[in-house]
Every structure is written in structure tokens, then in C-alpha cells.
Amino acid sequence: MKQADIVVIGGSAAGITAAITARRHYPDKNTLLIRKEEQVLIPCGIPYIFGTVGSPDKNLIPDAVLSKNQVELLVDEAKEIDREKHQVRTARGETIAYERLVIATGSLPAMPPVPGFELENVFPVFKDVAHLRHMQEALKGVSDLVIIGGGFIGVEFADECKKNLEANVSIVEMLSHCLMLAYDDEFCAEAEKLLKERGITPMTDTKVERVSGNGRVQEVQLAGGRKLPAQAVIIGIGATASVNLAKNASLPIGPTGGIVVDRTMRTVDPNIFACGDCAEKVSFFSGRPSPLKLASIATAEARIAGANLFGTRRENIGTVGVWSTVIGETAFATAGLTEALATRHGYNYVVGAAEAPNRHPGGMPGMCSMKVKLVFEKRTGVILGGQVMGDKAAGEVINAISACIQNRMTAEDIAMFQTGTHPALTASPIAYQFVNAAEAAIAALS
Ligand SMILES: Cc1cc2nc3c(=O)[nH]c(=O)nc-3n(C[C@H](O)[C@H](O)[C@H](O)COP(=O)(O)OP(=O)(O)OC[C@H]3O[C@@H](n4cnc5c(N)ncnc54)[C@H](O)[C@@H]3O)c2cc1C
């Protein structure tokens, strides 16, 4: 029987981060990570395999990240957790005793019961090298590709596949806009315009009824009777937590299907923690169950779990929801609540927006526009959310906005920000979008 002070199950964003954090906080404890696959993909890089990056082999997390941190790796599948004996049993017959266990088993693609999803060339997005290699081969020569789901996964797949395939690429989205759960209408409209300019057909307010074919997919049937020809279909409609292992060990499962944890990421068993896509989450804003599954959340939770294994050192504030995407050369980034979400949460809010060139003077190389929109609670002036569109710097500007949200800063605090600017790198200090969006909101607050 093997023994480790700390055993982590799962070798992706959450598992790796939990193991490294545990080593940092408890250097005297030995740490073993069990993962079922030989090679681990960078999950967020998966769509880019189909265009910019070119192959799954170029999108891997190197195992050196574990060895460098003295985390032992076991490639095997955990099959059973014996909570009484503090043991994990694996598919290859190993028994591993633990003092503390972290479950980071992640998620699988959501698969609603649509008839025809079992047909050949209908692809859910598994985070698996062999699956993605097969998918890449199968897409070669396809003339009609239908992507089901217009969230960030669907949009990124469409944009990347279009770079490599001579195919008609359509996105079928049942909501009235692509990216609608994360952006307000004007941002979604711009995203859809860019998709169209790139030869992609977004079909919104459109529901898939069934996928049909003769063994292999031939068409996608839409509600209302319309049919789209399709030699391949990619399903990108979200993820469900992988919780079988935890469920079989009688660990409670929460309302969104994740393993129930407290703010320290501890499950009901004091020796077992869970983090990442497999763990239940609550919203930073309401404390209510949150279905968000993001690598940024997974790694933040893993840093909490890893630090708390032998004494509480960190607490989870809940999901803020920070992420970005890019269509062509235009970045879209979001954090916290949109106007629509603020309304749904019952807030009385005001917004402020500012758009300016991202260089000064505008003739500097690399100039493009960037728009920042901020949402503030009307009563307190506290920031609830932000959206950024334009220059690729949006991916970092949104992280500054997220810091403000997490620290509950007000529009006045942000307007008084001392921001670093440079002609070749940012907007002018006079036109700095983030600060000016707050100023615009202050006018609406008073
Ligand atoms: C196409 C795509 C693009 C994405 N892009 C972004 C993005 O841009 N930004 C962002 O923030 N998020 C993004 N996400 C979401 C992000 O990938 C997930 O939130 C993140 O992967 C969660 O990490 P995790 O470690 O919790 O789970 P997972 O990545 O699902 O990893 C789970 C790990 O556990 C292993 N495992 C499971 N069961 C067992 C077992 N019984 N025994 C041993 N090992 C086991 C798995 O093999 C895997 O290694 C994207 C997701 C997808 C699918």
C-alpha cells in the first residue's frame, strides 16, 4: 500500500494548483497527485488547437510543473474513496492511504437529451488528447460545420475552425444573442457583427430539435422545421461536474450538481476538500448557488483548498465570474454583473461607459479603440461589474476591474485611481477608459 500525507485526485487546473499550493504551505508533507490521463491539456487552449495552435501536442501542461514542486505523479484512475480507512483505490489496483484528500475531478461536457447526439461526427468537447486528435482529423474536408451553443466555447471554436477549414460555419444559439450570459446587448451585437464579417453565421433565438443522419451526422433540424446541412457538429453548451467518486463516497452534492463544500473548500468530511469544476459554488453577489465553471475560479479555489489542509488560512468569497475571449483581433472581457444580471439580482444600478484609442497620440503603432462599461449599485456607488471590448489589453484591464469588484470599491474610488499610462501602451491619462467610465457613472449617481 502506498501512503501520502496529501493526495490530490485530478491533474488539471484545480488539481495541479491545489498540489503546488499544499507544497508551498506544508513543505514537510509529501504530496501525491493522481490523474487518469497520460497527458494533460491546457483546457482553455482547446479551441485554439483547431486554428492558431494547430495540434493537441502543442497545448499541453508540462509535468515539470509537478516535479519542480516535488509533487509525485501517479497516472491512474481513482475508483473509490474509503473515508473510514482514509484510502483511495485505483483502477490498476493500487491502494493509497492519505491524511488529507483533495478531490479535483473537474467536469465533463453537458449533453442534453437531443436525439442524434450519439451520431458519428457529433463532438462534445472532451478535454482529452486522443478525442481532440480524432476530432481534428474528422473535421478535415467538412463543408458544413454546425456549432451548437453560442457561449465562449462555441464562439472560440467557430472563429478558430474558420481559420483552417474551407467550411460554412454556423453557430446555433437559443438565446437572443451569442455571449449573452456575460455581456450586455451592445457588446453581443458587436461580437455577432464580427463573427459575420469573418464568414461565420450566428443563428440566435434558434433551438436545435434533433441531429440526424445515417450513422454519421448529415443535418441539424431546428425548431420550426428548418434544416441545416452538417457533416460535423460541435457541442459547446456548458459542463457538468464530475462527482461520481464523491457521490459513491457519500459526500453530499449541491443544487448545481457540485460537491458541497464550505468557504474553506472542506467537504462534510473534515479530511476531504474539493475544488474546481467538481465543487459546488456560490455567487459573490448573492451567496446563491452559482453554475459558473472557469479555470480562474478553479485555481482560486485550489489555492484556498491547498492552503487550508492542516488549518484554516483562506476563505472563498464566491464566484465573481471574470473571463475574456477574442474574435479575430477584437477582445471581449467581462467581470461580475452585466446590466441584465444586476436587474436579475434586484439591484438598482447606474452605468458609465468610455471609449478611447488605446495609444496616445492615435498615430502610434498598434492603435485601436477600447470601450469600458461599468455597472454600479445606485444606492452605494459600489462597482458590480464591468465589460471591456476592443484592444487585447482588455484581458488585463478586466482583471483590474475584478480587483475593484472584489474590494467593493466605489465609482469615486475608481475615478480617483492613479493609473499608469504610456503613449505606446495605453490610452492617454486624460482619456483613460476605466477611470472615465467611473466619472460618467458618477454623473448618473448624483
Ligand atoms: C473548450 C474550453 C475552453 C475553456 N476556456 C476557458 C477560458 O478561456 N477561461 C477560463 O477561465 N475557463 C475556460 N474553460 C473552463 C476551464 O477549462 C475549466 O473551468 C477548468 O478546466 C476546470 O479545471 P478543473 O481542474 O477543475 O477540471 P478539469 O479541467 O475538468 O480537470 C479534471 C481532471 O481530473 C481528472 N480526473 C477526473 N476523474 C478522475 C479520477 N477518477 N481519477 C483520476 N483523475 C481524474 C481528469 O482526467 C482531469 O485531469 C474552458 C473550458 C473548455 C472546455
Side-chain angles (χ1 to χ4, degrees), residues 7-164:
V7 172
V8 176
I9 305 174
S12 182
I16 294 172
T17 308
I20 293 174
T21 308
R23 289 287 306 144
R24 282 193 187 126
H25 283 255
Y26 307 103
D28 299 336
K29 303 283 184 187
N30 59 49
T31 303
L32 171 79
L33 183 145
I34 311 171
R35 70 160 197 248
K36 61 183 175 190
E37 65 277 281
E38 281 290 339
Q39 296 174 299
V40 187
L41 289 151
I42 299 169
C44 311
I46 290 172
Y48 299 91
I49 291 170
F50 295 82
T52 311
V53 169
S55 96
D57 306 313
K58 293 183 185 155
N59 183 49
L60 298 173
I61 304 178
D63 285 344
V65 71
L66 297 174
S67 52
K68 221 171 60 189
N69 288 284
Q70 286 95 46
V71 176
E72 191 187 342
L73 170 65
L74 175 69
V75 177
D76 202 344
E77 183 174 354
K79 278 291 190 191
E80 190 193 346
I81 300 166
D82 185 331
R83 286 171 51 194
E84 266 183 26
K85 292 189 179 152
H86 291 201
Q87 290 175 354
V88 176
R89 279 186 274 281
T90 73
R92 293 190 189 144
E94 291 266 19
T95 299
I96 302 140
Y98 64 82
E99 205 179 330
R100 295 288 186 275
L101 178 68
V102 180
I103 304 176
T105 47
S107 62
L108 291 169
M111 290 288 280
V114 172
F117 271 7
E118 72 291 349
L119 288 170
E120 202 181 319
N121 274 13
V122 176
F123 296 108
V125 184
F126 288 108
K127 293 168 250 176
D128 176 86
V129 171
H131 170 78
L132 295 170
R133 262 195 210 123
H134 167 60
M135 198 168 153
Q136 234 184 346
E137 277 306 305
L139 290 181
K140 282 182 187 158
V142 157
S143 51
D144 301 281
L145 169 65
V146 175
I147 294 170
I148 303 177
F152 71 93
I153 292 178
V155 164
E156 288 173 9
F157 262 98
D159 202 27
E160 288 298 306
C161 287
K162 191 71 192 170
K163 288 181 186 167
N164 258 357

